[in-house]
Amino acid sequence: MQIGINESENSTSLDHKLAPMLLFHYNYDMSLEESDDDQDNEESGDDEDVSDEDEFTEASDDEESMEETDDDETDASSNDNDDDTANDEGKEVNDTLLLYSISSKQLLANSKLNYLKDHFYWITPQGWLLMVHRDSHETFLWNPFTSQRISLPFDQDKFLRTNYTRCLLSCKPTDTNCVVLVLSLNDTVIWYCYPGGTQWFKHEYQSRRFHRHRGSVIGYMALLTVVGGKFYTGLGDSVITLDFSPNPKFDIIPIKAVQNPMYNFSRLYLLESSGELFSLFFYPPMTCPKRIAEIEVYKLDIQRRAWVKVYTLGDRAFFVNSTKCFGASVSAKEACLEENCIYFSRTGDKGLYVHSMERGTTAALNPGEDFLDNVAAEILMPAP
């Protein structure tokens, strides 16, 4: 099977040296992509025994972020602004795209991504975007740094536009073995295809194989992360793997669960770095769930069947896109960023937050006055 790679028309490539960067898209109309996550979960048809406790609270993509911030008062007032704020403060930026370079701390020309306005899109941890044209419904992968396009099968069943979903790639999409995975975030369903293929395949998995609470399983599946061409997620005292050979196959690996008796609650994120799987636990204080009391990082040791605590990231910088539940890693030196730091966004907040593993402190980065306070950024990673 040959993959066709074409140059996108009417688009301008981004400078890859500027990535990672923040992408702000005001008034982006993405059917269920912009819907309330809690409402989606309530309507997902969970089993009767689904509760709001234990693991599900860690993995759910609810609208309250657990990260540390000094902007609680801003958050409270931003909920009251909505349309008034958009009309008064953002007449020049509403319904438009803004890019912000994290390394240079500069606002970039928004015309470079105007191509997105005609499409629905899903940003992957690898920087490539899954694109669906709003009128023709043409479906493809797009690299914003090279303008490369890779054709995908048409969304005949309209599942991309009628479901709350997330997209992942098993490897570089220029590889014929790449699996394009679309994951439902409110049901036990996945869809997948291959670059250059002619059909999307649908697969429904049985949640009770992994956990008695269906909602917990869906929440943890939302964290699927690619390492070495295979998809991984954690679920309490086990790690779940998903492989395609060529049909989807789930396996369960018993793993000693991470425990921190100091906290009753945490937000969990997973990411790949240098070919290894890492888990990040964001712990809020009891009195203020929107702050961070502590961040812990663990690395998966398959041979020991345990998560091993990590105290330094070395020359790496970790990124966590809290609004879309994915993480990624870059060389801090190559990206001109602070090493041994975790960069993260939070729902309903324009800021980017930088947590130093060495100092144990978190600083806020304000992208500028031109950005509405209550519109969170997407994190656009490099797309090799």
Side-chain angles (χ1 to χ4, degrees), residues 177-243:
N177 295 319
C178 176
V179 176
V180 182
L181 176 65
V182 174
L183 175 72
S184 172
L185 301 182
N186 55 17
D187 202 356
T188 54
V189 179
I190 62 173
W191 298 266
Y192 63 98
C193 73
Y194 300 91
T198 60
Q199 180 181 355
W200 285 95
F201 301 93
K202 180 180 179 179
H203 177 78
E204 300 185 40
Y205 58 89
Q206 299 297 318
S207 64
R208 288 193 177 275
R209 178 185 174 190
F210 310 111
H211 195 276
R212 68 184 184 278
H213 293 156
R214 182 172 178 270
S216 296
V217 174
I218 294 173
Y220 275 106
M221 288 298 180
L223 300 176
L224 277 173
T225 300
V226 177
V227 180
K230 185 181 292 189
F231 301 88
Y232 291 80
T233 190
L235 204 166
D237 57 357
S238 65
V239 166
I240 300 172
T241 65
L242 170 60
D243 197 6

Side-chain angles (χ1 to χ4, degrees), residues 143-194:
N143 184 336
F145 300 95
T146 63
S147 294
Q148 290 180 319
R149 284 176 47 161
I150 299 179
S151 298
L152 296 178
F154 274 83
D155 178 13
Q156 300 284 1
D157 298 329
K158 300 182 180 180
F159 69 87
L160 285 169
R161 286 160 282 157
T162 57
N163 291 274
Y164 184 60
T165 55
R166 179 185 165 216
C167 179
L168 300 92
L169 308 175
S170 64
C171 58
K172 291 182 179 180
T174 52
D175 190 326
T176 56
N177 295 319
C178 176
V179 176
V180 182
L181 176 65
V182 174
L183 175 72
S184 172
L185 301 182
N186 55 17
D187 202 356
T188 54
V189 179
I190 62 173
W191 298 266
Y192 63 98
C193 73
Y194 300 91

Side-chain angles (χ1 to χ4, degrees), residues 105-118:
K105 298 181 175 60
Q106 292 182 347
L107 181 66
L108 307 177
N110 58 34
S111 61
K112 290 182 178 295
L113 280 184
N114 280 341
Y115 184 62
L116 294 179
K117 292 183 179 180
D118 297 327

Side-chain angles (χ1 to χ4, degrees), residues 26-289:
Y26 294 88
N27 292 338
Y28 172 52
D29 180 18
M30 178 57 223
S31 54
L32 294 185
E33 188 74 0
E34 297 295 316
S35 64
D36 183 87
D37 300 345
D38 289 335
Q39 180 178 354
D40 289 338
N41 286 331
E42 290 175 1
E43 298 176 354
S44 63
D46 288 350
D47 296 339
E48 292 181 358
D49 61 347
V50 171
S51 68
D52 292 328
E53 58 186 21
D54 59 43
E55 297 89 0
F56 178 58
T57 57
E58 294 178 354
S60 62
D61 187 20
D62 55 28
E63 63 181 12
E64 288 191 352
S65 174
M66 294 295 102
E67 287 79 353
E68 178 179 11
T69 175
D70 295 325
D71 298 332
D72 292 331
E73 294 182 359
T74 301
D75 288 339
S77 62
S78 66
N79 292 332
D80 297 328
N81 290 338
D82 293 339
D83 294 339
D84 291 339
T85 303
N87 292 331
D88 295 339
E89 298 182 13
K91 289 182 180 179
E92 296 184 359
V93 296
N94 276 348
D95 199 24
T96 192
L97 289 154
L98 292 173
L99 285 168
Y100 180 82
S101 171
I102 299 171
S103 59
S104 65
K105 298 181 175 60
Q106 292 182 347
L107 181 66
L108 307 177
N110 58 34
S111 61
K112 290 182 178 295
L113 280 184
N114 280 341
Y115 184 62
L116 294 179
K117 292 183 179 180
D118 297 327
H119 299 78
F120 301 119
Y121 58 88
W122 294 256
I123 299 176
T124 70
Q126 296 93 338
W128 285 75
L129 276 66
L130 170 61
M131 309 276 285
V132 178
H133 194 275
R134 291 174 179 266
D135 296 326
S136 69
H137 307 314
E138 180 184 11
T139 308
F140 55 94
L141 294 173
W142 182 55
N143 184 336
F145 300 95
T146 63
S147 294
Q148 290 180 319
R149 284 176 47 161
I150 299 179
S151 298
L152 296 178
F154 274 83
D155 178 13
Q156 300 284 1
D157 298 329
K158 300 182 180 180
F159 69 87
L160 285 169
R161 286 160 282 157
T162 57
N163 291 274
Y164 184 60
T165 55
R166 179 185 165 216
C167 179
L168 300 92
L169 308 175
S170 64
C171 58
K172 291 182 179 180
T174 52
D175 190 326
T176 56
N177 295 319
C178 176
V179 176
V180 182
L181 176 65
V182 174
L183 175 72
S184 172
L185 301 182
N186 55 17
D187 202 356
T188 54
V189 179
I190 62 173
W191 298 266
Y192 63 98
C193 73
Y194 300 91
T198 60
Q199 180 181 355
W200 285 95
F201 301 93
K202 180 180 179 179
H203 177 78
E204 300 185 40
Y205 58 89
Q206 299 297 318
S207 64
R208 288 193 177 275
R209 178 185 174 190
F210 310 111
H211 195 276
R212 68 184 184 278
H213 293 156
R214 182 172 178 270
S216 296
V217 174
I218 294 173
Y220 275 106
M221 288 298 180
L223 300 176
L224 277 173
T225 300
V226 177
V227 180
K230 185 181 292 189
F231 301 88
Y232 291 80
T233 190
L235 204 166
D237 57 357
S238 65
V239 166
I240 300 172
T241 65
L242 170 60
D243 197 6
F244 291 81
S245 55
N247 297 322
K249 178 184 177 183
F250 288 94
D251 283 321
I252 303 174
I253 304 173
I255 297 288
K256 184 179 179 180
V258 173
Q259 294 182 346
N260 188 327
M262 295 291 295
Y263 303 98
N264 297 323
F265 182 83
S266 68
R267 289 294 303 273
L268 170 66
Y269 302 97
L270 300 175
L271 61 84
E272 179 272 340
S273 181
S274 301
E276 296 185 286
L277 181 65
F278 289 80
S279 59
L280 284 68
F281 291 84
F282 287 64
Y283 296 105
M286 293 288 293
T287 57
C288 186

